Amino acid sequence: MDWDQFDLNPKTIAALKKADIKSVKEVLNLSGADLQRLMKLSSADIQCLLKTVSHTLRSNSMLTALQLYQDKDHFTSQHQKLSLGCSVLDNLLKGGIPLVGITELAGESSAGKTQISLQLCLCVQYPYKYGGLESGAVYICTEDVFPSKRLQQLIDQQHKLRADVPAEIIQKIRFGNSIFVEQAADLDTFQQCITSRLSLLLARGMVRLVVIDSMAALFRGDFGPAQAALKARYLQTFGAQLHSLSTRFRTPIMCINQVWNQVASYSVSYFLYRVEGSRVIPALGITWSNQLLMRLMVSRVSPGAASHCAGSRRTLSVVFAPHLPPSFCYYTVQLEGVKGIK
Amino acid sequence: MQREVGTLPLAPALRARLAAAGFQTAQELLDTGPCGLSKEIGISREEALEALQVVRQECHGDAARTAGGSGATRKCTALELLEEEQTQGFIITFCSALDNILGGGVQLTKITEICGAPGVGKTQLCMQLAVDVQIPECFGGVAGEAVFIDTEGSFMVDRVVDIAAACVQHCHLIAEAQQEEDLRKALETFSLENILSHIYYFRCRDYTELLAQVYLLPEFLSEHSKVRLVVIDGIAFPFRHDFEDLSLRTRLLNGLAQQLIIIANDHKSAVVLTNQMTTRIGQSQSTLVPALGESWGHAATVRLIFHWDNSQRLATLYKSPSQKESTIAYHITSQGFRDVQPPAVTHSTEGTELNPRKRPRTEEEKQ
């Protein structure tokens, strides 16, 4: 850290170098009294140092809510969301998936989670005007193999799903080229994937959607009740890393999650979840729930039907979101994709 | 001038040497002069000069402060404090049940902590307060501005717009029903754009940025003296990962708490923090407790815990110096944070479909 470039008293700079303090973070991690002792300066000097260092970290960081509201820029505006490709579903979410934060899609198996995620991977590639982000997607599989056949079906039928987009625009998009599939079956591989592969793709601007299918699969088997603390630490670390990537690159992270059957005597869940006749709660507990911006749940209205069975109604509901009331809508899974029912 | 050497803002090593050499008051230091001082305690002349400069500045500052009447060591009686506290403003939450158990609303000069599971309404209450702090005094508000420090990215401005529009609408209804000139005049400046422009938003992405932001807050609040609310949503998120050394975390949190207490007091603002819940594994069952550990529990003056009971949201006042522990139910509507049932209407509000709530506090104010 080049302390000379800071607007500090030369005496303070010399003291910093002598005390071997190498970064702004170190300065802020030490208390005022510790800094005084280490650098042998008076408290007024230390206050001045702390203020100067804080200024460099936080210059130009204030916005008023009015500025946020009036921001129309594609990249920074809060109004910009990732469309789901269907106006009914977008209306439920007041535009689509928010660009910053982790959104969870939880539900029983074959309720339609993968279908919605695949659809998002295609939607993200459309121009801003049509609710996309003009970029690709990363799909991280942790257990099942990636459904490439279904993806191809969806690509072939895009013109049918997206009747709102002119055909020549759809034809120009090379959908398959911009979806990067990663396999990560265990925690270490997953960690590796997030910290190196994902950051690289995001930094190069090649993707603006990350789908993780699914988080719960990473924690099955190895984690019994005795490893609860370790599991919590992993979840918090992953959550923080994903959150940080999402904020830095303004990229939505969609995490697919499984559900557990609700045990009636599990007192914690009563404190934690609204119980409205649903028999299932999302997996991974409160530690994971704390990392989320928004939680969506999908379920089958008529149990037992196959995933692609046209006509079987599903429900997409908003469990919590800072900008949405708890609400739901119905949808079906057609050949061309997921479509809401008005 | 009679200030003790131990209380002067000098480097600790220097203070130790002065004490060892027998200096007790600031006056003795000034009388000795730089040469004498450097000889007595064995420091260079430049260091002695600097030290005396600091001492002189402090004494000047002291004199100015005692003349001004308000200083770091101000004495007053408990009666004066009581009177001051009774005139202290409250920021209403628009949920009269919650306001009642809090003793009037979110209190200025105190730190209020809101704990709860995700989705229960912590951020909603924070957004509601950021709007309610701006309500003009003639409507029962404190006519202040708000600082919103967001660590999780959950501040959605569209939602704030809904809440603010509902609040403005509500005040308009009151003004029309009461037909008073000063109410109508106050509404001229209480518009959506105005409300949004007085919510100062800071986004902190990790705990270092949060610490830096809190160091800069006193300066910001001095420049924006109308701020009466500082929200940090949430305080737990940046501190719950990345800490191999939990003692560092405890120390940083304690320092943060101290700074916030000073900010709340000096600038007559309410500080509102939101916290997460975590599982504490007990003998036979697990319970949910607020995150960040036992020692953090002492940081806030008032602690609210939000939770569910089936599909009803409940708020429990868990810790308060003056109010008793109680639980009430609340609702989150499209207009914001509200009571569960609208109380009886006392005067006609022209058959509106909006929440025709009586506003007990403003009625009292008018009388």
Side-chain angles (χ1 to χ4, degrees):
Chain A
M1 169 64 65
D2 185 12
W3 292 115
D4 296 315
Q5 63 186 324
F6 284 76
D7 186 17
L8 289 168
N9 190 331
K11 183 178 58 159
T12 314
I13 297 182
L16 280 168
K17 290 185 183 164
K18 195 165 167 208
D20 200 25
I21 295 177
K22 289 195 200 68
S23 65
V24 168
K25 186 167 166 173
E26 262 185 69
V27 172
L28 291 172
N29 273 1
L30 291 164
S31 70
D34 282 332
L35 283 169
Q36 277 190 290
R37 257 194 305 275
L38 272 174
M39 302 190 352
K40 307 194 198 346
L41 295 171
S42 67
S43 72
D45 284 329
I46 298 298
Q47 288 306 313
C48 182
L49 166 67
L50 286 169
K51 289 227 169 59
T52 313
V53 146
S54 302
H55 263 297
T56 43
L57 202 60
R58 303 294 298 166
S59 57
N60 303 327
S61 55
M62 186 202 78
L63 288 171
T64 64
L66 188 63
Q67 286 170 307
L68 280 176
Y69 184 53
Q70 291 172 337
D71 184 358
K72 300 279 187 265
D73 178 272
H74 281 311
F75 196 75
T76 56
S77 170
Q78 271 196 7
H79 303 295
Q80 190 73 37
K81 299 214 172 62
L82 174 58
S83 157
L84 262 71
C86 162
S87 55
V88 174
L89 300 178
D90 284 345
N91 277 343
L92 177 74
L93 301 181
K94 293 211 179 137
I97 311 283
L99 297 190
V100 178
I102 305 178
T103 301
E104 177 179 277
L105 186 58
E108 302 152 305
S109 61
S110 53
K113 309 188 291 289
T114 308
Q115 301 301 312
I116 296 179
S117 313
L118 289 176
Q119 187 148 316
L120 273 175
C121 290
L122 299 175
C123 288
V124 71
Q125 305 187 37
Y126 284 89
Y128 286 110
K129 190 170 155 197
Y130 301 107
L133 299 175
E134 296 178 5
S135 190
V138 177
Y139 199 105
I140 304 179
C141 295
T142 63
E143 46 172 355
D144 296 325
V145 79
F146 180 74
S148 1
K149 230 173 76 172
R150 177 60 175 151
L151 179 69
Q152 196 51 52
Q153 256 179 6
L154 290 172
I155 293 176
D156 293 334
Q157 299 288 321
Q158 275 297 288
H159 58 276
K160 203 165 162 215
L161 179 75
R162 300 302 299 267
D164 56 315
V165 183
E168 56 272 15
I169 294 187
I170 301 185
Q171 270 165 8
K172 266 194 278 185
I173 306 179
R174 308 248 62 86
F175 288 107
N177 282 0
S178 311
I179 302 182
F180 301 87
V181 178
E182 301 285 329
Q183 300 279 354
D186 59 70
L187 291 164
D188 291 320
T189 323
F190 185 72
Q191 175 84 300
Q192 219 4 31
C193 183
I194 302 183
T195 46
S196 44
R197 186 90 178 107
L198 207 53
S199 333
L200 195 67
L201 287 167
L202 286 165
R204 289 204 188 142
M206 295 160 79
V207 301
R208 279 197 76 194
L209 168 68
V210 178
V211 176
I212 301 176
D213 184 1
S214 63
M215 277 306 280
L218 289 169
F219 293 92
R220 273 212 220 108
D222 292 337
F223 286 86
Q227 283 87 26
L230 180 61
K231 179 172 162 184
R233 261 220 306 282
Y234 269 114
L235 285 172
Q236 276 163 352
T237 309
F238 288 154
Q241 286 169 338
L242 289 169
H243 196 94
S244 161
L245 286 171
S246 177
T247 312
R248 234 169 61 210
F249 298 104
R250 286 193 80 83
T251 296
I253 314 256
M254 177 66 113
C255 284
I256 296 182
N257 197 5
Q258 276 121 11
V259 292
W260 293 332
N261 279 317
Q262 197 164 305
V263 179
S265 59
Y266 189 41
S267 61
V268 169
S269 71
Y270 282 98
F271 206 69
L272 185 54
Y273 301 103
R274 52 210 318 243
V275 176
E276 265 192 293
S278 71
R279 313 151 285 121
V280 292
I281 54 175
L284 298 176
I286 191 171
T287 314
W288 179 244
S289 306
N290 278 331
Q291 314 297 324
L292 304 174
L293 175 76
M294 180 161 94
R295 169 170 271 159
L296 303 170
M297 272 190 83
V298 287
S299 58
R300 302 153 68 85
V301 176
S302 50
S307 183
H308 293 215
C309 178
S312 73
R313 256 184 354 162
R314 323 289 173 94
T315 318
L316 172 68
S317 49
V318 176
V319 177
F320 63 76
H323 59 305
L324 300 172
S327 45
F328 68 94
C329 75
Y330 295 112
Y331 69 95
T332 55
V333 180
Q334 311 278 344
L335 181 67
E336 64 267 23
V338 173
K339 284 169 103 158
I341 304 173
K342 252 187 272 267
Chain B
M1 285 314 183
Q2 291 310 307
R3 194 133 155 215
E4 283 198 27
V5 165
T7 66
L8 293 169
L10 299 168
L14 186 56
R15 278 206 301 262
R17 288 205 205 191
L18 288 170
F23 288 100
Q24 278 180 341
T25 67
Q27 190 60 42
E28 289 176 19
L29 286 181
L30 292 171
D31 288 341
T32 317
C35 302
L37 201 60
S38 69
K39 260 188 277 197
E40 283 270 352
I41 59 177
I43 54 176
S44 73
R45 239 188 123 229
E46 287 77 29
E47 289 180 27
L49 266 170
E50 264 185 36
L52 285 176
Q53 249 184 354
V54 170
V55 171
R56 250 179 240 117
Q57 264 180 353
E58 271 305 302
C59 294
H60 275 297
D62 279 346
R65 267 198 295 260
T66 45
S70 65
T73 51
R74 183 182 54 143
K75 293 195 264 267
C76 52
T77 65
L79 181 64
E80 287 170 26
L81 285 177
L82 177 65
E83 284 169 1
E84 210 180 286
E85 210 173 278
Q86 282 177 338
T87 57
Q88 210 64 267
F90 291 91
I91 307 175
I92 58 174
T93 63
F94 266 88
C95 170
S96 57
L98 186 60
D99 288 342
N100 282 340
I101 64 168
L102 288 172
V106 172
Q107 206 174 358
L108 298 184
T109 75
K110 304 271 191 291
I111 301 186
T112 304
E113 185 181 358
I114 309 170
C115 312
V120 75
K122 309 184 290 293
T123 307
Q124 299 298 309
L125 180 57
C126 292
M127 295 197 254
Q128 183 75 60
L129 291 170
V131 168
D132 290 351
V133 71
Q134 307 191 39
I135 294 177
E137 278 162 345
C138 49
F139 288 96
V142 299
E145 302 175 351
V147 164
F148 199 106
I149 301 179
D150 184 4
T151 64
E152 300 176 341
S154 50
F155 183 83
M156 305 295 261
V157 73
D158 286 332
R159 180 61 177 149
V160 180
V161 164
D162 289 342
I163 293 177
C167 183
V168 169
Q169 176 75 327
H170 193 92
C171 292
H172 271 288
L173 288 176
I174 296 179
E176 270 164 38
Q178 308 242 324
Q179 296 287 328
E180 298 230 357
E181 196 43 52
D182 54 341
L183 293 184
R184 226 171 291 155
K185 269 192 73 184
L187 280 180
E188 280 165 25
T189 49
F190 191 59
S191 69
L192 180 64
E193 274 81 30
N194 239 304
I195 297 177
L196 291 180
S197 63
H198 291 133
I199 300 178
Y200 304 110
Y201 176 77
F202 297 89
R203 177 86 166 87
C204 293
R205 296 175 294 180
D206 56 39
Y207 76 86
T208 311
E209 290 191 12
L210 180 61
L211 291 173
Q213 193 61 64
V214 175
Y215 274 121
L216 295 177
L217 261 187
E219 198 180 301
F220 184 84
L221 293 179
S222 308
E223 289 166 20
H224 298 81
S225 54
K226 286 187 72 184
V227 170
R228 288 284 170 274
L229 172 69
V230 175
V231 175
I232 303 186
D233 180 25
I235 192 87
F237 188 73
F239 284 101
R240 292 193 73 203
H241 63 93
D242 227 12
F243 275 96
E244 291 302 327
D245 179 10
L246 278 183
S247 63
L248 170 65
R249 182 179 94 168
T250 310
R251 189 166 53 66
L252 291 177
L253 283 171
N254 285 340
L256 205 57
Q258 280 177 345
Q259 286 178 293
L260 290 172
I261 292 174
I262 294 174
I263 287 172
N265 255 309
D266 287 352
H267 300 273
K268 273 189 80 159
S269 298
V271 174
V272 173
L273 312 171
T274 64
N275 194 1
Q276 294 172 348
M277 301 294 274
T278 184
T279 322
R280 177 157 63 196
I281 307 193
Q283 294 276 16
S284 51
Q285 50 164 228
S286 328
T287 47
L288 280 186
V289 297
L292 297 180
E294 292 280 335
S295 57
W296 176 250
H298 302 289
T301 320
V302 176
R303 207 173 216 190
L304 282 166
I305 300 195
F306 286 3
H307 53 108
W308 296 100
D309 177 17
N310 287 333
S311 32
Q312 178 57 57
R313 298 174 204 254
L314 298 174
T316 301
L317 182 64
Y318 194 71
K319 174 185 175 188
S320 165
S322 52
Q323 306 296 317
K324 72 172 208 253
E325 180 174 324
S326 32
T327 303
I328 55 102
Y330 66 92
H331 249 175
I332 313 250
T333 68
S334 59
Q335 298 164 338
F337 208 82
R338 295 289 189 270
D339 278 305
V340 172
Q341 294 132 4
V345 182
T346 50
H347 49 261
S348 77
T349 45
E350 294 166 88
T352 168
E353 300 91 44
L354 298 164
N355 229 339
R357 291 184 61 239
K358 177 176 104 158
R359 283 299 312 148
R361 278 176 49 81
T362 51
E363 309 313 304
E364 282 157 23
E365 301 284 320
K366 294 323 296 171
Q367 284 137 31

